[in-house]
Amino acid sequence: MVAWLRTYIQNIIIVIILASFMQIILPSGTVRRYAQLAVGLVLVLTLLSPLLALARAPFGISELLGQATVQTAWAELRTESTLLKNSQDRQLLTAYELALKQEASRVIATQGGLQLVEATFEFVTEREAEDFGRIKQMQVVVSQGSGVQPVTAVKPVQIGPASGPKPREGASPVDSALITRLKSALATHFAINTDQVLITIR
């Protein structure tokens, strides 16, 4: 559009310059009048050239409908392609997560008779990213199997108001050591940092 407008303006300027030169060069008289008439016609035709081009162009309703149909079909194909790509990405990540769960279950089973209850993974999901599929975080819930359970010390029975600081709630030392060991094993196996592994023991 810009190139066409530039050409259109250049043609008008050329005709005006030509008319000015002819006004200076040609002597007064009949020849000058005919030259002015010819230059005037050329200028009018140059000014009307966009309308003449539009009149010569085919302007059928069927062609417009055909172009609209083609553009609509192309837009639909692009939408379907995007949906298919997203669906393929989801299927790929689902299969990848299933394989990772199986690996996590195998690693957890080697750590003192533990069993995997649930595992969720957070990935880099942008296909254009260089680290597409990298594990950003993993959360696992494990339970202790049917093996020997750790023996906990029996707390003394106190009668009356308790004195001294209350015991801190949270994981027992056995569970803390187990979580640390399991975090290290999973982080090493999946090549991530231990702070990217979240473990819950039931």
Coordinates of all heavy atoms in Angstrom, one line a residue, residues 97-168:
E97 N 5.6 -38.4 33.4 CA 5.4 -38.4 34.8 C 5.1 -39.8 35.3 O 5.6 -40.2 36.4 CB 4.1 -37.5 35.1 CG 3.9 -37.4 36.6 CD 2.8 -36.4 36.9 OE1 2.0 -36.0 36.0 OE2 2.7 -36.0 38.1
L98 N 4.5 -40.6 34.5 CA 4.2 -42.0 34.9 C 5.6 -42.8 35.0 O 5.8 -43.5 36.0 CB 3.3 -42.7 33.9 CG 3.0 -44.2 34.1 CD1 2.3 -44.3 35.5 CD2 2.2 -44.8 33.0
A99 N 6.5 -42.5 34.1 CA 7.8 -43.2 34.1 C 8.6 -42.7 35.4 O 9.2 -43.5 36.0 CB 8.6 -42.9 32.9
L100 N 8.5 -41.4 35.7 CA 9.2 -40.9 36.8 C 8.6 -41.5 38.1 O 9.3 -41.7 39.1 CB 9.1 -39.4 36.9 CG 9.8 -38.6 35.8 CD1 9.6 -37.1 35.9 CD2 11.3 -38.9 35.8
K101 N 7.3 -41.7 38.2 CA 6.7 -42.3 39.4 C 7.2 -43.7 39.6 O 7.4 -44.1 40.7 CB 5.1 -42.3 39.2 CG 4.5 -40.9 39.4 CD 3.0 -41.0 39.3 CE 2.3 -39.6 39.5 NZ 0.9 -39.7 39.4
Q102 N 7.3 -44.4 38.5 CA 7.8 -45.8 38.6 C 9.3 -45.8 39.1 O 9.7 -46.6 40.0 CB 7.8 -46.5 37.3 CG 6.3 -46.8 36.8 CD 6.3 -47.4 35.4 OE1 7.3 -47.4 34.7 NE2 5.1 -47.8 35.0
E103 N 10.1 -44.8 38.7 CA 11.5 -44.7 39.1 C 11.5 -44.3 40.6 O 12.3 -44.8 41.4 CB 12.2 -43.7 38.3 CG 12.6 -44.2 36.9 CD 13.6 -45.4 37.0 OE1 14.6 -45.2 37.7 OE2 13.3 -46.4 36.4
A104 N 10.6 -43.4 41.0 CA 10.6 -42.9 42.4 C 10.2 -44.1 43.3 O 10.7 -44.3 44.4 CB 9.6 -41.7 42.5
S105 N 9.2 -44.9 42.8 CA 8.8 -46.0 43.6 C 9.9 -47.0 43.8 O 10.1 -47.6 44.9 CB 7.6 -46.7 43.0 OG 7.2 -47.8 43.7
R106 N 10.7 -47.2 42.8 CA 11.8 -48.2 42.9 C 12.9 -47.7 43.9 O 13.4 -48.4 44.7 CB 12.4 -48.4 41.5 CG 13.5 -49.5 41.5 CD 13.9 -49.7 40.1 NE 14.6 -48.5 39.5 CZ 15.8 -48.2 39.7 NH1 16.6 -49.0 40.5 NH2 16.4 -47.1 39.2
V107 N 13.2 -46.3 43.8 CA 14.2 -45.8 44.7 C 13.7 -45.8 46.2 O 14.4 -46.2 47.1 CB 14.5 -44.3 44.3 CG1 15.4 -43.7 45.3 CG2 15.2 -44.3 42.9
I108 N 12.4 -45.5 46.4 CA 11.9 -45.4 47.7 C 11.8 -46.8 48.3 O 12.1 -47.0 49.5 CB 10.5 -44.8 47.7 CG1 10.6 -43.3 47.4 CG2 9.7 -45.0 49.0 CD1 9.3 -42.6 47.1
A109 N 11.6 -47.9 47.5 CA 11.5 -49.2 48.0 C 12.8 -49.7 48.6 O 12.9 -50.6 49.4 CB 11.0 -50.2 46.9
T110 N 13.9 -49.1 48.2 CA 15.2 -49.5 48.6 C 15.6 -48.8 50.0 O 16.7 -49.1 50.5 CB 16.3 -49.2 47.6 OG1 16.4 -47.8 47.4 CG2 16.0 -49.9 46.3
Q111 N 14.8 -47.9 50.5 CA 15.1 -47.2 51.7 C 14.3 -47.7 52.9 O 13.3 -47.1 53.3 CB 14.8 -45.7 51.4 CG 15.5 -45.1 50.3 CD 17.0 -45.1 50.5 OE1 17.5 -44.8 51.6 NE2 17.8 -45.4 49.5
G112 N 14.7 -48.8 53.4 CA 14.2 -49.3 54.7 C 12.7 -49.7 54.6 O 12.0 -49.5 55.5
G113 N 12.3 -50.4 53.5 CA 11.0 -50.9 53.4 C 9.9 -49.9 53.3 O 8.7 -50.2 53.6
L114 N 10.2 -48.7 52.7 CA 9.2 -47.7 52.5 C 8.4 -48.0 51.2 O 8.9 -48.7 50.3 CB 9.8 -46.3 52.4 CG 10.5 -45.8 53.7 CD1 11.2 -44.5 53.4 CD2 9.5 -45.7 54.8
Q115 N 7.2 -47.5 51.1 CA 6.4 -47.7 49.9 C 5.9 -46.3 49.4 O 5.5 -45.5 50.3 CB 5.2 -48.6 50.2 CG 5.6 -50.0 50.5 CD 4.4 -50.9 50.8 OE1 3.3 -50.4 50.9 NE2 4.6 -52.2 50.9
L116 N 5.8 -46.1 48.1 CA 5.3 -44.9 47.6 C 3.8 -44.9 47.6 O 3.2 -45.9 47.1 CB 5.8 -44.7 46.1 CG 5.3 -43.5 45.4 CD1 5.8 -42.2 46.0 CD2 5.7 -43.6 43.9
V117 N 3.2 -43.9 48.1 CA 1.7 -43.7 48.1 C 1.3 -42.8 47.0 O 0.4 -43.1 46.3 CB 1.3 -43.2 49.5 CG1 -0.3 -42.9 49.5 CG2 1.7 -44.1 50.6
E118 N 2.0 -41.7 46.9 CA 1.6 -40.7 45.9 C 2.8 -39.9 45.5 O 3.6 -39.6 46.3 CB 0.5 -39.8 46.4 CG -0.1 -38.8 45.4 CD -1.1 -37.9 46.0 OE1 -1.5 -38.1 47.2 OE2 -1.6 -37.0 45.3
A119 N 2.9 -39.5 44.2 CA 4.0 -38.7 43.8 C 3.5 -37.7 42.7 O 2.7 -38.1 41.8 CB 5.1 -39.5 43.2
T120 N 3.8 -36.4 42.9 CA 3.5 -35.4 41.9 C 4.7 -34.7 41.5 O 5.6 -34.4 42.3 CB 2.4 -34.4 42.4 OG1 2.9 -33.8 43.6 CG2 1.1 -35.1 42.7
F121 N 4.8 -34.3 40.2 CA 6.0 -33.6 39.7 C 5.6 -32.3 39.0 O 4.5 -32.2 38.4 CB 6.7 -34.5 38.6 CG 7.2 -35.8 39.2 CD1 6.5 -36.9 39.3 CD2 8.6 -35.8 39.6 CE1 7.0 -38.1 39.9 CE2 9.1 -37.0 40.1 CZ 8.3 -38.1 40.3
E122 N 6.4 -31.3 39.1 CA 6.2 -30.1 38.5 C 7.4 -29.9 37.5 O 8.5 -30.0 37.8 CB 6.2 -28.9 39.5 CG 5.9 -27.6 38.9 CD 5.9 -26.4 39.9 OE1 6.0 -26.8 41.1 OE2 5.9 -25.3 39.5
F123 N 7.0 -29.7 36.2 CA 7.9 -29.7 35.1 C 8.0 -28.3 34.5 O 7.2 -27.4 34.7 CB 7.6 -30.6 34.0 CG 7.3 -32.0 34.4 CD1 6.0 -32.6 34.4 CD2 8.4 -32.9 34.8 CE1 5.8 -33.9 34.8 CE2 8.1 -34.2 35.2 CZ 6.8 -34.7 35.2
V124 N 9.1 -28.1 33.6 CA 9.1 -27.0 32.7 C 8.3 -27.4 31.5 O 8.6 -28.4 30.8 CB 10.5 -26.6 32.3 CG1 10.5 -25.5 31.2 CG2 11.3 -26.2 33.5
T125 N 7.1 -26.8 31.3 CA 6.2 -27.3 30.2 C 6.3 -26.5 28.9 O 5.5 -26.8 28.0 CB 4.7 -27.2 30.8 OG1 4.5 -25.8 31.2 CG2 4.6 -28.1 32.0
E126 N 7.1 -25.4 28.8 CA 7.2 -24.7 27.6 C 8.1 -25.5 26.6 O 9.3 -25.7 26.9 CB 7.8 -23.3 27.8 CG 6.9 -22.4 28.6 CD 7.0 -22.7 30.1 OE1 7.9 -23.4 30.5 OE2 6.1 -22.2 30.9
R127 N 7.5 -25.9 25.5 CA 8.2 -26.7 24.5 C 9.4 -26.0 23.9 O 10.4 -26.5 23.6 CB 7.3 -27.2 23.4 CG 8.0 -28.1 22.4 CD 7.0 -28.6 21.4 NE 6.2 -29.7 21.9 CZ 6.6 -31.0 21.8 NH1 7.7 -31.3 21.3 NH2 5.8 -31.9 22.3
E128 N 9.2 -24.6 23.8 CA 10.3 -23.8 23.2 C 11.5 -23.7 24.1 O 12.6 -23.3 23.7 CB 9.8 -22.5 22.8 CG 8.7 -22.5 21.6 CD 7.4 -22.9 22.1 OE1 7.2 -22.9 23.4 OE2 6.5 -23.2 21.3
A129 N 11.3 -23.9 25.4 CA 12.4 -23.8 26.4 C 13.5 -24.8 26.2 O 13.2 -25.9 25.8 CB 11.9 -23.8 27.8
E130 N 14.7 -24.4 26.5 CA 15.8 -25.4 26.3 C 15.7 -26.5 27.3 O 16.2 -27.6 27.0 CB 17.2 -24.6 26.4 CG 17.4 -23.6 25.3 CD 18.8 -22.9 25.5 OE1 19.5 -23.3 26.5 OE2 19.1 -22.1 24.7
D131 N 15.2 -26.2 28.5 CA 15.1 -27.3 29.5 C 13.7 -27.8 29.6 O 13.2 -28.1 30.7 CB 15.6 -26.7 30.9 CG 14.8 -25.5 31.3 OD1 14.1 -24.9 30.4 OD2 14.9 -25.0 32.4
F132 N 13.0 -28.0 28.5 CA 11.7 -28.5 28.5 C 11.7 -29.9 29.1 O 12.5 -30.8 28.8 CB 11.2 -28.6 27.0 CG 9.9 -29.4 26.8 CD1 8.7 -28.8 27.4 CD2 9.8 -30.6 26.2 CE1 7.5 -29.5 27.2 CE2 8.6 -31.3 26.0 CZ 7.5 -30.7 26.5
G133 N 10.8 -30.1 30.1 CA 10.7 -31.4 30.8 C 11.5 -31.5 32.0 O 11.5 -32.5 32.7
R134 N 12.3 -30.4 32.4 CA 13.1 -30.5 33.6 C 12.2 -30.5 34.8 O 11.2 -29.8 34.8 CB 14.0 -29.2 33.6 CG 14.9 -29.2 34.8 CD 15.8 -28.0 34.8 NE 15.1 -26.7 34.7 CZ 14.5 -26.1 35.7 NH1 14.7 -26.6 37.0 NH2 13.9 -24.9 35.5
I135 N 12.6 -31.3 35.8 CA 11.8 -31.3 37.0 C 12.1 -30.1 37.9 O 13.3 -29.9 38.2 CB 12.2 -32.6 37.8 CG1 11.9 -33.9 37.0 CG2 11.4 -32.7 39.1 CD1 12.3 -35.1 37.6
K136 N 11.1 -29.3 38.2 CA 11.3 -28.2 39.1 C 11.0 -28.5 40.5 O 11.7 -27.9 41.4 CB 10.3 -27.0 38.6 CG 10.6 -26.5 37.2 CD 9.9 -25.2 37.0 CE 8.4 -25.3 36.9 NZ 7.7 -24.1 36.5
Q137 N 10.1 -29.5 40.7 CA 9.9 -29.9 42.1 C 9.1 -31.2 42.1 O 8.4 -31.5 41.2 CB 9.0 -28.8 42.8 CG 8.8 -29.1 44.3 CD 8.0 -28.0 45.0 OE1 6.8 -27.9 44.7 NE2 8.6 -27.2 45.8
M138 N 9.4 -32.0 43.1 CA 8.7 -33.3 43.2 C 8.2 -33.4 44.7 O 8.9 -33.1 45.6 CB 9.5 -34.5 42.8 CG 10.8 -34.7 43.7 SD 11.8 -36.1 43.1 CE 10.6 -37.5 43.3
Q139 N 6.9 -33.9 44.8 CA 6.3 -34.1 46.1 C 5.9 -35.6 46.2 O 5.2 -36.1 45.3 CB 5.1 -33.2 46.3 CG 5.4 -31.8 46.2 CD 4.2 -30.9 46.4 OE1 3.1 -31.4 46.6 NE2 4.3 -29.6 46.3
V140 N 6.4 -36.3 47.2 CA 6.1 -37.7 47.4 C 5.5 -37.9 48.8 O 5.9 -37.3 49.8 CB 7.4 -38.6 47.2 CG1 7.9 -38.5 45.8 CG2 8.5 -38.2 48.2
V141 N 4.6 -38.8 48.8 CA 4.0 -39.3 50.1 C 4.3 -40.8 50.2 O 4.1 -41.6 49.3 CB 2.5 -39.1 50.1 CG1 1.9 -39.6 51.4 CG2 2.1 -37.6 49.9
V142 N 5.0 -41.1 51.3 CA 5.4 -42.5 51.5 C 4.8 -43.1 52.8 O 4.4 -42.3 53.7 CB 7.0 -42.6 51.5 CG1 7.6 -42.2 50.2 CG2 7.5 -41.8 52.7
S143 N 4.7 -44.4 52.8 CA 4.3 -45.0 54.1 C 5.3 -46.1 54.4 O 6.0 -46.7 53.5 CB 2.9 -45.6 53.8 OG 3.0 -46.7 52.9
Q144 N 5.4 -46.4 55.7 CA 6.3 -47.5 56.1 C 5.6 -48.8 55.9 O 4.4 -49.0 56.2 CB 6.6 -47.3 57.6 CG 7.4 -46.0 57.8 CD 7.8 -45.9 59.3 OE1 7.3 -46.6 60.1 NE2 8.7 -44.9 59.6
G145 N 6.4 -49.7 55.3 CA 5.8 -51.0 54.9 C 5.6 -51.9 56.1 O 5.6 -51.5 57.3
S146 N 5.5 -53.2 55.9 CA 5.2 -54.1 56.9 C 6.4 -54.6 57.7 O 6.4 -55.6 58.4 CB 4.5 -55.4 56.3 OG 5.3 -56.0 55.3
G147 N 7.5 -53.9 57.5 CA 8.8 -54.3 58.1 C 8.7 -53.9 59.6 O 7.7 -53.5 60.2
V148 N 9.9 -54.0 60.3 CA 10.0 -53.7 61.7 C 9.8 -52.2 61.9 O 10.5 -51.4 61.3 CB 11.3 -54.2 62.3 CG1 11.4 -53.9 63.7 CG2 11.4 -55.7 62.0
Q149 N 8.9 -51.8 62.7 CA 8.7 -50.4 63.0 C 9.7 -50.0 64.1 O 10.1 -50.7 65.0 CB 7.3 -50.2 63.5 CG 6.2 -50.6 62.5 CD 6.2 -49.7 61.3 OE1 6.5 -48.6 61.4 NE2 5.8 -50.3 60.2
P150 N 10.1 -48.7 64.0 CA 11.1 -48.3 65.1 C 10.4 -48.2 66.4 O 9.2 -47.8 66.5 CB 11.5 -46.9 64.6 CG 10.3 -46.5 63.7 CD 9.9 -47.7 63.0
V151 N 11.1 -48.6 67.5 CA 10.6 -48.6 68.8 C 10.8 -47.2 69.4 O 11.9 -46.6 69.4 CB 11.3 -49.6 69.7 CG1 10.8 -49.6 71.1 CG2 11.2 -51.0 69.1
T152 N 9.7 -46.6 69.9 CA 9.7 -45.3 70.5 C 9.8 -45.4 72.0 O 9.2 -46.4 72.6 CB 8.5 -44.5 70.1 OG1 7.3 -45.2 70.5 CG2 8.4 -44.3 68.6
A153 N 10.4 -44.5 72.6 CA 10.6 -44.6 74.1 C 9.2 -44.3 74.7 O 8.5 -43.4 74.3 CB 11.6 -43.5 74.5
V154 N 9.0 -44.9 75.9 CA 7.7 -44.7 76.6 C 7.9 -43.5 77.4 O 8.9 -43.3 78.2 CB 7.5 -45.9 77.5 CG1 6.2 -45.7 78.3 CG2 7.3 -47.2 76.7
K155 N 6.9 -42.6 77.3 CA 7.0 -41.3 78.1 C 6.5 -41.5 79.5 O 5.5 -42.3 79.7 CB 6.1 -40.3 77.4 CG 6.6 -39.9 76.0 CD 5.7 -38.8 75.4 CE 6.2 -38.5 74.0 NZ 5.4 -37.5 73.3
P156 N 7.2 -40.9 80.5 CA 6.7 -41.1 81.9 C 5.4 -40.4 82.1 O 5.1 -39.4 81.4 CB 7.8 -40.4 82.7 CG 8.4 -39.5 81.7 CD 8.3 -40.1 80.4
V157 N 4.6 -41.0 83.0 CA 3.2 -40.4 83.3 C 3.4 -39.4 84.4 O 4.0 -39.6 85.4 CB 2.3 -41.6 83.8 CG1 0.9 -41.0 84.1 CG2 2.1 -42.6 82.7
Q158 N 2.9 -38.2 84.1 CA 3.0 -37.1 85.1 C 1.6 -36.9 85.7 O 0.6 -36.8 85.0 CB 3.5 -35.9 84.4 CG 4.9 -36.0 84.0 CD 5.4 -34.7 83.4 OE1 4.7 -33.7 83.2 NE2 6.7 -34.6 83.0
I159 N 1.6 -36.7 87.0 CA 0.4 -36.4 87.7 C 0.4 -34.9 88.1 O 1.4 -34.5 88.7 CB 0.1 -37.3 88.9 CG1 0.1 -38.7 88.4 CG2 -1.1 -36.9 89.7 CD1 0.0 -39.7 89.6
G160 N -0.6 -34.2 87.8 CA -0.6 -32.8 88.1 C -0.1 -31.9 87.0 O 0.2 -32.5 85.9
P161 N 0.1 -30.7 87.2 CA 0.6 -29.8 86.1 C 2.0 -30.1 85.7 O 2.8 -30.4 86.5 CB 0.5 -28.4 86.7 CG 0.5 -28.6 88.2 CD -0.1 -29.9 88.5
A162 N 2.2 -30.1 84.4 CA 3.5 -30.4 83.9 C 4.4 -29.2 84.1 O 4.0 -28.1 83.9 CB 3.4 -30.8 82.4
S163 N 5.6 -29.5 84.4 CA 6.6 -28.4 84.6 C 7.7 -28.5 83.5 O 7.9 -29.6 83.0 CB 7.3 -28.6 86.0 OG 7.9 -29.8 86.1
G164 N 8.3 -27.4 83.2 CA 9.3 -27.4 82.2 C 8.8 -27.2 80.8 O 7.5 -27.1 80.6
P165 N 9.6 -27.1 79.8 CA 9.1 -26.8 78.5 C 8.4 -28.0 77.9 O 8.7 -29.1 78.2 CB 10.4 -26.5 77.7 CG 11.5 -27.2 78.5 CD 11.1 -27.2 79.9
K166 N 7.4 -27.7 77.1 CA 6.6 -28.7 76.4 C 7.5 -29.3 75.3 O 8.3 -28.6 74.6 CB 5.4 -28.1 75.8 CG 4.4 -27.6 76.9 CD 3.1 -27.2 76.2 CE 2.1 -26.7 77.3 NZ 0.9 -26.2 76.7
P167 N 7.3 -30.6 75.0 CA 8.1 -31.2 73.9 C 7.7 -30.6 72.6 O 6.5 -30.3 72.3 CB 7.7 -32.7 74.0 CG 6.4 -32.7 74.7 CD 6.4 -31.6 75.7
R168 N 8.7 -30.5 71.7 CA 8.4 -29.9 70.4 C 7.7 -30.9 69.5 O 8.0 -32.0 69.4 CB 9.7 -29.5 69.7 CG 9.6 -28.8 68.3 CD 10.9 -28.4 67.8 NE 11.8 -29.5 67.6 CZ 11.8 -30.3 66.5 NH1 11.0 -30.0 65.5 NH2 12.7 -31.3 66.4

